[in-house]
Amino acid sequence: MAQKNLILLGPPGAGKGTQAKELSARLGLPHISTGDMLREAVREGTELGLKAKAVMESGGLVSDELLTGIVKERLARPDCVGGVILDGYPRNLAQAAILDGILSALGKDGARALELEVADEAIVSRLGGRRSCPACGAVYNLASSPPERAGRCDRCGAALVQRDDDKEEVIRERLRVYHEKTAPLSDLYRRRGCLATVDGGQNPEGVLAALVKAVG
Ligand code: AMP
């Protein structure tokens, strides 16, 4: 059976993380989020985390070199044999070329991209209301999916936090970086005939159904 090496594309706050988790469960493929890996490194205070912290807080992109090692190591693990769902990587054209090289060096199939389309204004209001659980990783939105008890995680009861990079001025910077650096990836995968675009503005169930259909 062909591998399903899938890349979720779309602006920050488009729902890539949420959809990646759902798709991961449906398709039985590991969800690989470079943002989660970097946040973990920052929490643990590793060398990678120390290097990445300030850039992440400003809304910029961590250097390609820092990402290459962790992505290569992750994709080489046995659970990736049937495919993967990449969320947040690649983030620019250089990383797309690096990913091509990693997949081919590991003897894997090329990647296909699934793009979630969401307007900038919708992103600003979505991300401004996003809260996450630092203990178990659950994600809430004050407007569309609030926790049952204000400020507390439904699953584990920990106090919810707003990510530093979900503050409004940082969101605007992340969107600027997205349009400049990441959006060109859609054209790249479209030209290769490896892009499916889905309306990310609909409810999460609708988005998931459209993604599952696109994956085939
Ligand atoms: P995310 O959770 O995917 O929005 O990522 C949060 C932050 O981590 C981003 O704003 C970047 O600073 C950094 N980051 C995550 N993935 C990458 C990547 N592939 N390349 C560079 N920086 C990244």
Side-chain angles (χ1 to χ4, degrees), residues 169-206:
E169 68 278 13
V170 184
I171 294 171
R172 299 231 174 251
E173 173 61 10
R174 291 168 70 202
L175 278 170
R176 194 192 64 72
V177 170
Y178 168 76
H179 287 295
E180 182 186 320
K181 306 257 168 65
T182 312
L185 292 179
S186 303
D187 286 334
L188 173 75
Y189 291 103
R190 187 179 295 114
R191 280 199 305 275
R192 290 182 184 178
C194 294
L195 178 80
T197 300
V198 160
D199 172 10
Q202 49 187 326
N203 63 35
E205 296 74 27

Side-chain angles (χ1 to χ4, degrees), residues 25-202:
R26 282 270 185 119
L27 305 175
L29 300 175
H31 167 204
I32 300 177
S33 157
T34 45
D36 285 350
M37 290 160 97
L38 289 169
R39 278 184 287 279
E40 192 183 324
V42 170
R43 260 197 315 276
E44 290 177 352
T46 64
E47 198 185 332
L48 170 69
L50 293 176
K51 287 185 181 151
K53 190 170 189 282
V55 184
M56 290 174 75
E57 282 170 358
S58 73
L61 292 184
V62 174
S63 79
D64 298 339
E65 295 72 40
L66 283 182
L67 268 300
T68 302
I70 58 170
V71 171
K72 199 187 270 178
E73 187 274 329
R74 183 65 190 87
L75 288 175
R77 290 199 210 157
D79 63 336
C80 299
V81 67
V84 292
I85 298 169
L86 284 169
D87 160 17
Y89 191 93
R91 207 69 159 225
N92 57 30
L93 291 169
Q95 291 183 8
I98 292 168
L99 177 64
D100 288 343
I102 295 175
L103 291 173
S104 123
L106 292 171
K108 293 179 182 291
D109 294 343
R112 282 193 284 155
L114 303 166
E115 178 187 38
L116 299 179
E117 238 176 4
V118 183
D120 281 8
E121 312 82 74
I123 295 294
V124 174
S125 68
R126 269 193 200 183
L127 284 186
R130 181 156 83 173
R131 297 292 181 276
S132 51
C133 175
C136 75
V139 180
Y140 300 87
N141 193 290
L142 300 183
S144 56
S145 54
E148 279 172 21
R149 229 176 0 130
R152 291 276 158 193
C153 179
D154 292 346
R155 271 204 246 155
C156 71
L160 299 178
V161 296
Q162 181 176 39
R163 275 169 48 177
D164 285 338
D165 58 355
D166 282 345
K167 309 261 156 71
E168 178 157 350
E169 68 278 13
V170 184
I171 294 171
R172 299 231 174 251
E173 173 61 10
R174 291 168 70 202
L175 278 170
R176 194 192 64 72
V177 170
Y178 168 76
H179 287 295
E180 182 186 320
K181 306 257 168 65
T182 312
L185 292 179
S186 303
D187 286 334
L188 173 75
Y189 291 103
R190 187 179 295 114
R191 280 199 305 275
R192 290 182 184 178
C194 294
L195 178 80
T197 300
V198 160
D199 172 10
Q202 49 187 326

